[in-house]
Amino acid sequence: MSVELGMPKPRDTAGAAEAATTPGVPPARPSYAPAGLADRYGRRATDMRLSLTDKCNLRCTYCMPAEGLEWLSKQAVMNAAEIERIVRIGVDHLGVRELRLTGGEPLVRADLLDIVGAIRRNHPDLPISMTTNGVGLDKKAAALKAAGLTRINVSLDSLHEETFTKLTRRPFLNRVLTGIDAAWDAGLGPVKINAVLMRGINDTSAVDLLTWALSKSYELRFIEQMPLDADHGWTRSDMITAADIRKLLSTEYVLSSDPRARDGAPAERFEVRRRVAGTTGHGTESATGELLGTVGIIASVTEPFCADCRRTRITAEGKIMSCLFSREEFDLLGLLRSGASDEELAGRWQDAMWIKPKAHGMDHVGLDAPDFVQPERSMSAIGG
Ligand code: SAM
Ligand code: SF4
């Protein structure tokens, strides 16, 4: 049950200056800050992204370096009981309404089923989804469903074996495809597929991916590549934009805006119909083909949706990040381990979210401005 109202009380702002100078401690939010995970711009975070690990068994070029990263020690990473408590504080005290487990690769965590089961027991109605690369999912999909996972997102950037291997630096395409099918069979649908397109590598795969996803009734979502790769190789000129993606798909399909409300979702959804003779190829003409399904495009770089952002992030080592591009992060796990009460932990989380930046500054103007600095953490170390 949510007990969001009046809980906990904002701290006196007198300590703000001191806190601001302590690394990992956010300044206190003002006493007029509303309940829940509110920020200065009137947004309220209700969607929690929780990273279970920084480790991964793939090395996607847009995310990790070939040799991997220096992994966190086991002690540094939240254990199952700590995760369970942090989720409980988010849901029971702070108005979190949905949870996404991510990483690194969440499937590499040996106690994953215990974690999902414990969260489900505490929160029978909470939508719990997981983003995974799908390697090993075939063996765990049914158990994850039984433990209480609601739904799954699997990342897949190409159906072409050589391209997949080049992009992920691992020859695991078939294992991913088997994993996706197993998730569907286990009832973890709707299965969403996340794809990042890279110029000259897999941009020619866009239509194939959509044709395949439609044939399987999976919901494909293209994600614009963000400057969050550990190699710092991202360039604007190489990025495949949302506009490029719409153009690539319109060679074969007609896309029209999905009439359903977007409702804070990062993906803009389009209905997909087959291109029929007489249409022009720009995707704006009225489509006469049969409705085949939908496709989503997450245009984080070129069409940012910061004004409507509802996300709060907890990294694998229990740091609060209000945005993927935060250069500030605040320690929740250290406070928890020091014996803090639920109220104190909730207060720290609220303070950290109160100063969430208005926007990530990654849009065209921001990126070209001299003050845009790529965050130190790569996507795998944040939890995408
Ligand atoms: N390992 C899991 C996976 O790949 O699905 C979960 C973690 S991964 C960091 C989460 C999502 O972030 C994936 O869908 C991945 O494609 C996406 N991602 C990683 N690096 C990215 C980048 N630089 N730009 C856009 N999306 C990225
Ligand atoms: Fe691993 Fe996911 Fe990053 Fe790929 S995108 S390297 S699968 S964490």
Side-chain angles (χ1 to χ4, degrees):
M1 190 188 71
S2 171
V3 284
E4 198 183 330
L5 282 180
M7 165 66 193
K9 299 252 186 310
R11 285 184 286 129
D12 196 317
T13 50
E18 191 192 339
T21 60
T22 311
V25 180
R29 69 198 181 284
S31 52
Y32 58 79
L37 295 171
D39 70 32
R40 296 164 295 166
Y41 302 100
R43 295 169 296 190
R44 190 76 66 98
T46 54
D47 176 357
M48 175 175 176
R49 304 282 164 111
L50 181 94
S51 175
L52 296 181
T53 177
D54 59 324
K55 294 198 180 98
C56 188
N57 43 13
L58 299 187
R59 296 286 182 274
C60 305
T61 54
Y62 50 72
C63 180
M64 277 220 197
E67 64 281 7
L69 294 162
E70 199 177 316
W71 308 131
L72 293 166
S73 68
K74 189 164 184 223
Q75 170 61 18
V77 172
M78 292 181 291
N79 66 34
E82 290 163 342
I83 290 171
E84 190 184 337
R85 184 163 174 214
I86 287 174
V87 172
R88 188 173 50 69
I89 291 168
V91 175
D92 287 353
H93 298 331
L94 296 173
V96 165
R97 294 285 165 265
E98 55 185 298
L99 173 67
R100 169 88 59 89
L101 304 175
T102 181
E105 176 44 50
L107 285 175
V108 304
R109 212 167 145 145
D111 55 358
L112 174 63
L113 293 173
D114 297 336
I115 292 170
V116 173
I119 298 173
R120 175 54 71 217
R121 276 190 296 283
N122 290 343
H123 312 286
D125 302 323
L126 181 72
I128 310 172
S129 60
M130 185 172 87
T131 303
T132 169
N133 64 31
V135 177
L137 184 57
D138 55 331
K139 296 188 184 62
K140 294 206 176 131
L144 280 165
K145 175 73 184 175
L149 191 71
T150 315
R151 222 188 37 68
I152 210 142
N153 281 31
V154 186
S155 303
L156 175 66
D157 306 313
S158 177
L159 294 162
H160 186 264
E161 209 159 340
E162 220 173 285
T163 309
F164 179 94
T165 303
K166 187 173 173 194
L167 227 153
T168 62
R169 303 185 177 112
R170 295 290 184 275
F172 294 158
L173 174 62
N174 279 331
R175 294 176 67 181
V176 174
L177 293 175
T178 316
I180 296 171
D181 288 342
W184 176 265
D185 292 344
L188 287 170
V191 172
K192 295 189 182 172
I193 306 292
N194 291 355
V196 176
L197 294 180
M198 295 180 78
R199 195 172 299 284
I201 299 178
N202 66 335
D203 47 339
T204 50
S205 302
V207 166
D208 288 353
L209 275 168
L210 181 55
T211 305
W212 167 80
L214 291 169
S215 75
K216 295 273 199 175
S217 300
Y218 303 147
E219 287 184 31
L220 180 63
R221 295 133 40 99
F222 290 100
I223 309 175
E224 278 183 346
Q225 188 195 350
M226 294 178 271
L228 287 172
D229 56 315
D231 288 335
H232 289 236
W234 184 97
T235 61
R236 173 170 291 280
S237 53
D238 264 357
M239 188 191 59
I240 303 286
T241 65
D244 293 334
I245 295 166
R246 291 190 288 264
K247 203 165 161 189
L248 284 165
L249 298 178
S250 69
T251 56
E252 197 77 26
Y253 296 106
V254 176
L255 308 186
S256 50
S257 268
D258 188 326
R260 286 175 294 175
R262 187 161 169 180
D263 203 22
E268 183 177 8
R269 270 189 318 247
F270 297 91
E271 291 185 337
V272 183
R273 293 180 170 78
R274 194 168 299 291
R275 175 160 298 291
V276 293
T279 53
T280 63
H282 298 296
T284 51
E285 66 288 307
S286 59
T288 50
E290 134 198 38
L291 178 62
L292 301 172
T294 60
V295 65
I297 301 182
I298 303 180
S300 320
V301 179
T302 61
E303 297 159 26
F305 36 87
C306 302
D308 217 14
C309 181
R310 297 180 192 176
R311 270 157 290 286
T312 182
R313 295 175 186 276
I314 306 290
T315 68
E317 76 273 47
K319 300 270 198 284
I320 306 159
M321 289 183 75
S322 59
C323 170
L324 272 177
F325 285 85
S326 297
R327 288 197 289 278
E328 285 180 309
E329 47 191 54
F330 299 105
D331 188 24
L332 197 57
L333 183 60
L335 187 64
L336 185 155
R337 287 182 178 172
S338 73
S341 65
D342 284 1
E343 287 72 17
E344 287 167 322
L345 291 164
R348 162 86 45 104
W349 199 341
Q350 289 181 288
D351 290 344
M353 291 303 294
W354 180 250
I355 53 175
K356 178 175 171 113
K358 187 174 184 182
H360 55 42
M362 191 180 40
D363 54 336
H364 189 75
V365 176
L367 251 192
D368 287 350
D371 62 348
F372 180 84
V373 182
Q374 177 169 343
E376 259 175 52
R377 280 177 183 267
S378 62
M379 191 67 135
S380 63
I382 302 170

